């Protein structure tokens, strides 16, 4: 895995300087600490910071083709490069580096932009065509690897991270108020927006070209699949289980390709347990696994991690995350993620990737993606239950089913029941809302914007964040079933922009660790899209086909246990009386006023409300605890 950057002068005013691109690459050294390189050709300069995983001795980028008409800088892996290379050799191509980078460039030379449909991988690509004087940019199907760009002062700049673009002093820096409105509604920006004005992100599954003739609009080469009735799975459930096992096993096989050791994350949940079991059984019975545990028992899954370690016999390492570590590392994680975070979930994962790096590993496989494509999140079941409730809105027992989703919240259901029924209540107009599955989270998250300053409120008077989302919906969205709609929203927004970014690429590459995600092999995604919804969620049993397909491989205590959403401490880490904490400085009235984004009086009131929690009457403490648990789980995105 690597970091890439470059500048293309569109107006020939002055040449792109190696010095500026070198500064950009310096900002990305955490992504590629092993080697770096630059290429200069008149109006363009390309830079690369390398984390060497394939072709350790001969893979320095930028790399050219045989006649040096094409040059590439590339961040990621195309896992099926050996198979592609065989076909290219038959066509007369020759290779010298043993890297997938050479194969990617040759595929582009042979097929142009159509090469992307041949790739099975996770990547951000920049290719310069010297003859056409054209820059080609592309990103993998689901957005595992990032790619940002801006057009300012007659120059096109791109990079793996925004901080590299800001290394160019000619680029202006300004927070985008509309983006903040999106973040405080959806928990992330809606691509192509970022938190900064005039800084854009190439959407997943898209490519674009840049030349002196102009900058093309991003064009999709792949979209989140939705199976029409004619495309649905026609085989039996048993046949589907067999196909799933074959596809996932092959996805793992491809992602174990590396010239360095490959480990795996082991959370103690179903997805990582399946992956580690398949690796240990089929590929590597000396597997190295890594996990994190928490000081706070409500967040900890170490008992299940230990059970899997005993079952597999792996060499295992664990990092225990304290509340203080969450607080003290939060600023560093914000710097890595480059956007406001409304949760602390990325922070422990940053510590986990540091453990991997300290253990002399560069690559780990993770279980991300299974919940989105096989219906693992409570948000899918919530929507199902609320639609069931809406058939008899006055029912007293139907809304009680929601309690089954959050047993760790509703420890005293009798006391919390009225609150629950009000929180999850369904109105007739809700059912026709295209965002029905996510409306509770977004509606309640949107209340955060009441804390915006008067200036921010004025700037956003005529802005509706939902309009940005409506524009992204596929033409078939209105005809899709409710479960498929929920899946699309989860994958299009949270998977790429939050889970694979703030909890994936950014915290991994912050410690020079490459994360590989077999469940997001496009073949697995496309196969899962053809399966009927009740094979994914049977009643309230999430990821049913996964559990059934891998019966006997994973211990039943792990396989059938209720999903425990990944969470990290919030109030335990930040709402303390420690006056030395940087949080107290950041939330002071002077600091809030100086920043200008929030109302200092409202922030001060909220802070005092929760820091004095222990002084409240018992019933008030219980209500506050319930509210915080809802913030930690229900109001938050399902992926957290």
């Amino acid at each position: 895995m690597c970091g890439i950057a470059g500048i293309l002068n569109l107006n020939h005013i002055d040449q792109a300087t190696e010095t500026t691109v070198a500064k950009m690459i310096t900002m990305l050294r955490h992504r590629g600490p092993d080697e770096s390189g630059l290429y200069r050709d008149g109006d363009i300069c390309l830079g690369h910071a390398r984390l060497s995983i394939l072709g350790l001795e001969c893979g320095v980028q930028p790399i050219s083709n045989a006649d040096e008409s094409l040059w590439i800088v590339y961040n990621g892996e195309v896992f099926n490069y050996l198979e592609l290379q065989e076909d290219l050799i038959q066509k007369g191509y020759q290779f010298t580096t043993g890297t997938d980078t050479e194969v990617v460039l040759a595929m582009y030379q042979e097929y142009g932009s159509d090469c992307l449909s041949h790739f099975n991988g996770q990547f951000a690509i920049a290719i310069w065509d010297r003859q056409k004087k054209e820059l080609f940019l592309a990103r993998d199907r689901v957005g595992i690897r990032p790619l940002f760009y801006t057009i300012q002062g007659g120059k096109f700049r791109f990079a793996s991270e925004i901080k590299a673009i800001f290394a160019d002093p000619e680029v202006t820096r300004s927070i985008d108020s509309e983006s903040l409105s999106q973040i405080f509604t959806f928990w992330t920006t809606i691509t192509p927006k970022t938190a900064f004005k005039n800084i854009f992100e190439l959407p997943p599954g898209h490519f674009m070209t840049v030349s002196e003739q102009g900058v093309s609009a991003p064009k999709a080469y792949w979209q989140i699949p939705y199976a029409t009735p004619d495309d649905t799975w026609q085989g039996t459930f048993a046949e589907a289980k067999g196909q799933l096992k074959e596809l996932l096993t092959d996805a793992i096989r491809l992602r174990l390709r590396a010239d360095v050791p490959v480990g795996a994350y082991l959370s103690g949940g179903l997805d990582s347990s399946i992956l580690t079991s398949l690796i240990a059984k089929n590929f590597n019975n000396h597997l190295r696994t890594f996990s994190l545990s928490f000081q706070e028992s409500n967040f900890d899954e170490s008992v299940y991690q230990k059970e899997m370690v005993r079952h597999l016999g792996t060499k295992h390492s664990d990092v225990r995350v304290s509340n203080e570590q969450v607080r003290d590392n939060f600023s560093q994680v914000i710097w890595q993620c480059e956007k406001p975070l409304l949760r602390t979930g990325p922070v422990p994962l940053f510590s986990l990737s540091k453990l991997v790096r300290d253990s002399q590993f560069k690559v780990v496989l993770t279980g991300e993606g299974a919940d989105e494509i096989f219906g693992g999140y409570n948000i899918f079941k919530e929507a199902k239950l609320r639609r069931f409730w809406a058939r008899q809105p006055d029912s007293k027992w139907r809304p009680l089913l929601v309690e089954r989703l959050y047993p760790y919240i509703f420890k005293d259901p009798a006391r919390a029941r009225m609150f629950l029924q009000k929180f999850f209540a369904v109105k007739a107009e809700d059912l026709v809302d295209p965002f029905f599955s996510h409306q509770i989270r977004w509606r309640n998250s949107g209340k955060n914007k009441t804390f915006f300053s008067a200036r921010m409120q004025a700037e956003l008077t005529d802005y509706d964040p939902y309009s940005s989302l409506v524009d992204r919906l596929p033409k078939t969205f209105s005809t899709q079933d409710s479960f498929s709609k929920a899946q699309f929203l989860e994958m299009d927004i949270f998977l790429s922009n939050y889970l694979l970014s703030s909890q994936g690429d950014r915290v991994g590459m912050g410690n020079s660790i490459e994360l590989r995600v077999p469940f997001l092999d496009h073949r697995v995604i496309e196969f899962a899209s053809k399966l009927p919804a009740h094979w994914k969620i049977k009643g309230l049993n999430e990821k049913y086909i996964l559990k059934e397909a891998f019966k006997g491989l994973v211990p039943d205590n792990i396989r059938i246990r209720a999903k425990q959403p990944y969470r990290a401490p919030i109030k335990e880490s930040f709402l303390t009386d420690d006056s030395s904490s940087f949080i107290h400085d950041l939330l002071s009235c002077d600091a809030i006023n100086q920043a200008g984004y929030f109302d200092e009086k409202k922030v001060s009131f909220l802070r005092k409300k929760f820091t004095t929690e222990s002084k409240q009457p018992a019933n008030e403490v219980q209500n506050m605890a319930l509210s915080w648990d809802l913030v930690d789980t229900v109001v938050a995105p399902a992926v957290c």
Side-chain angles (χ1 to χ4, degrees):
M1 203 52 59
C2 311
I4 63 176
I7 299 176
L8 174 60
N9 186 347
L10 300 174
N11 295 335
H12 312 289
I13 298 173
D14 55 26
Q15 293 185 331
T17 65
E18 295 181 16
T19 301
T20 302
V21 176
K23 290 179 180 178
M24 296 170 73
I25 289 300
T26 298
M27 294 300 294
L28 299 174
R29 288 306 299 269
H30 52 280
R31 298 187 70 89
D34 296 332
E35 296 173 299
S36 62
L38 292 174
Y39 167 75
R40 170 90 172 269
D41 177 26
D43 290 321
I44 194 167
C45 186
L46 306 176
H48 185 265
R50 187 185 186 211
L51 179 65
S52 53
I53 292 173
L54 288 170
L56 303 184
E57 303 299 328
C58 54
V60 181
Q61 298 183 37
I63 287 177
S64 71
N65 61 350
D67 64 4
E68 297 189 351
S69 62
L70 298 174
W71 287 82
I72 184 174
V73 286
Y74 164 58
N75 166 31
E77 312 284 353
V78 167
F79 301 115
N80 62 332
Y81 76 101
L82 291 177
E83 291 79 5
L84 297 175
Q85 186 179 61
E86 290 180 6
D87 293 338
L88 290 167
I89 290 174
Q90 293 180 7
K91 295 178 182 294
Y93 287 85
Q94 297 180 350
F95 300 92
T96 61
T97 68
T99 67
D100 60 328
T101 308
E102 258 195 311
V103 176
V104 169
L105 189 58
M107 287 292 292
Y108 179 76
Q109 181 176 341
E110 182 69 21
Y111 297 104
S113 61
D114 289 342
C115 69
L116 299 170
S117 63
H118 297 266
F119 295 159
N120 186 335
Q122 49 192 56
F123 50 81
I125 301 171
I127 296 175
W128 172 245
D129 188 321
R130 292 185 63 190
Q131 297 174 346
K132 292 182 178 180
K133 299 295 183 183
E134 181 179 86
L135 179 66
F136 172 81
L137 300 170
R139 195 173 175 210
D140 66 74
R141 290 172 176 84
V142 292
I144 301 171
R145 298 301 161 211
L147 187 57
F148 299 93
Y149 64 93
T150 187
I151 308 167
Q152 297 185 35
K155 296 178 182 178
F156 181 91
R157 302 165 179 85
F158 70 89
S160 296
E161 296 181 11
I162 298 172
K163 60 179 69 67
I165 293 176
F166 284 153
D168 186 341
E170 295 181 11
V171 176
T172 58
R173 308 183 186 191
S174 179
I175 296 293
D176 189 321
S177 58
E178 291 184 359
S179 295
L180 287 187
S181 179
Q182 292 180 3
I183 291 169
F184 283 88
T185 303
F186 309 124
W187 293 71
T188 185
T189 52
I190 304 300
T191 309
K193 270 187 173 292
T194 70
F196 300 94
K197 287 183 180 178
N198 300 317
I199 305 292
F200 305 101
E201 184 171 21
L202 184 63
H206 283 67
F207 68 88
M208 64 187 298
T209 58
V210 186
S211 68
E212 61 182 11
Q213 280 72 44
V215 180
S216 72
K219 183 177 180 180
Y221 67 89
W222 187 87
Q223 295 179 326
I224 297 170
Y226 169 69
T228 64
D230 293 335
D231 294 330
T232 55
W233 177 260
Q234 299 299 313
T236 66
F237 183 71
E239 290 170 336
K241 290 192 299 179
Q243 180 73 1
L244 173 57
K245 286 189 283 189
E246 289 181 12
L247 286 173
L248 187 57
T249 301
D250 194 60
I252 292 171
R253 177 186 67 84
L254 291 177
R255 283 157 183 78
L256 289 174
R257 287 178 170 172
D259 293 333
V260 295
V262 178
Y265 282 169
L266 182 58
S267 69
L270 176 68
D271 311 328
S272 66
S273 296
I274 289 174
L275 290 186
T276 51
S277 297
L278 285 173
I279 296 171
K281 177 183 178 182
N282 298 299
F283 305 106
N284 180 9
N285 56 11
H286 299 290
L287 177 64
R288 184 72 182 275
T289 53
F290 303 90
S291 67
L292 59 85
S293 57
F294 288 97
Q295 169 187 339
E296 295 291 329
S297 59
N298 288 341
F299 304 92
D300 190 68
E301 295 185 82
S302 59
V303 62
Y304 300 106
Q305 296 162 7
K306 292 174 181 177
E307 181 175 348
M308 280 303 301
V309 170
R310 288 192 299 269
H311 174 69
L312 297 174
T314 65
K315 183 178 180 181
H316 186 73
S317 299
D318 168 85
V319 59
R320 186 168 181 81
V321 179
S322 68
N323 297 338
E324 290 73 19
Q325 285 176 303
V326 173
R327 180 190 65 199
D328 295 342
N329 288 330
F330 193 73
S331 294
Q332 172 66 15
V333 171
I334 290 288
W335 188 83
Q336 293 291 348
C337 295
E338 302 181 327
K339 67 178 67 171
L341 295 178
L342 276 67
R343 294 185 62 74
T344 55
V347 184
L349 294 170
F350 181 73
S351 298
L352 179 57
S353 67
K354 184 178 186 303
L355 169 67
V356 175
R357 187 64 181 181
D358 291 344
S359 302
Q360 307 304 309
F361 275 69
K362 294 181 179 181
V363 182
V364 288
L365 270 61
T366 78
E368 274 79 14
D371 288 308
E372 286 81 5
I373 62 178
F374 290 107
Y377 291 133
N378 277 340
I379 195 169
F380 301 130
K381 292 186 284 187
E382 274 177 31
K384 186 176 184 178
L385 289 178
R386 292 178 70 231
R387 287 187 182 278
F388 176 66
W389 178 1
R391 296 174 193 168
Q392 294 184 17
D394 297 328
S395 172
K396 300 300 182 183
W397 65 269
R398 290 193 176 200
L400 303 184
L401 290 171
V402 182
E403 294 174 12
R404 294 177 57 184
L405 301 184
Y406 303 104
Y408 46 90
I409 295 179
F410 301 107
K411 298 174 183 177
D412 185 356
R415 174 171 288 184
R417 191 154 289 150
M418 184 179 298
F419 185 88
L420 172 142
Q421 295 196 20
K422 182 178 179 181
F423 189 86
F424 287 100
V426 185
K427 301 176 182 177
E429 58 268 27
D430 292 340
L431 295 175
V432 296
D433 185 345
F435 309 127
F436 174 80
S437 58
H438 288 66
Q439 65 182 199
I440 288 180
R441 282 165 170 76
W442 294 346
R443 184 170 59 227
N444 285 279
S445 297
K447 294 177 181 178
N448 289 315
K449 291 183 288 188
T450 62
F451 289 87
F452 281 171
S453 65
R455 175 184 66 82
M456 284 285 292
Q457 300 276 8
E459 289 183 11
L460 294 168
T461 299
D462 298 322
Y463 177 69
D464 176 14
Y466 289 93
S467 62
S468 302
L469 187 54
V470 169
D471 293 340
R472 289 180 59 82
L473 298 179
K475 295 179 180 179
T476 61
F477 190 80
S478 62
T479 64
Q480 294 181 16
D481 61 273
S482 57
F483 178 64
S484 296
K485 288 179 180 178
Q487 280 189 298
F488 174 86
L489 296 174
E490 199 68 17
M491 292 183 68
D492 188 58
I493 301 172
F494 295 127
L495 178 63
S496 172
N497 288 0
Y498 180 82
L499 183 67
L500 296 176
S501 175
S502 298
Q503 288 191 183
D505 174 90
R506 296 313 188 86
V507 291
M509 292 308 297
N511 285 297
S512 306
I513 296 300
E514 176 182 298
L515 308 180
R516 297 180 175 182
V517 281
F519 280 107
L520 292 179
D521 184 304
H522 71 94
R523 298 170 301 169
V524 177
I525 297 174
E526 290 160 3
F527 163 76
S529 71
K530 298 179 180 181
L531 302 178
H534 66 271
W535 286 5
K536 301 172 187 177
I537 301 179
K538 186 175 183 179
L540 293 181
N541 187 2
E542 75 279 357
K543 291 187 287 195
Y544 177 70
I545 190 170
L546 268 185
K547 294 175 181 178
E548 292 299 304
F550 295 100
K551 184 183 295 184
L553 180 69
V554 176
D556 281 348
N557 189 41
I558 301 291
R559 185 179 64 86
I560 62 176
R561 79 180 182 97
K563 177 177 174 59
Q564 179 174 330
Y566 169 69
R567 302 180 298 149
I570 299 177
K571 62 181 184 295
E572 296 87 350
S573 296
F574 292 102
L575 299 180
T576 69
D577 292 325
D578 181 5
S579 60
S580 65
S581 170
F582 72 95
I583 300 299
H584 289 263
D585 294 332
L586 289 177
L587 295 182
S588 69
C589 288
D590 288 343
I592 295 295
N593 261 328
Q594 184 176 1
Y597 299 107
F598 297 95
D599 185 298
E600 78 280 2
K601 293 181 180 179
K602 292 181 179 179
V603 171
S604 178
F605 174 81
L606 183 66
R607 178 184 169 195
K608 290 177 181 178
K609 176 180 178 181
F610 286 102
T611 54
T612 58
E613 177 178 316
S614 60
K615 301 176 183 179
Q616 301 296 322
N619 63 326
E620 290 297 323
V621 173
Q622 192 274 339
N623 288 337
M624 284 188 178
L626 174 61
S627 298
W628 270 104
D629 280 333
L630 284 168
V631 168
D632 283 352
T633 54
V634 181
V635 179
V639 297
C640 301

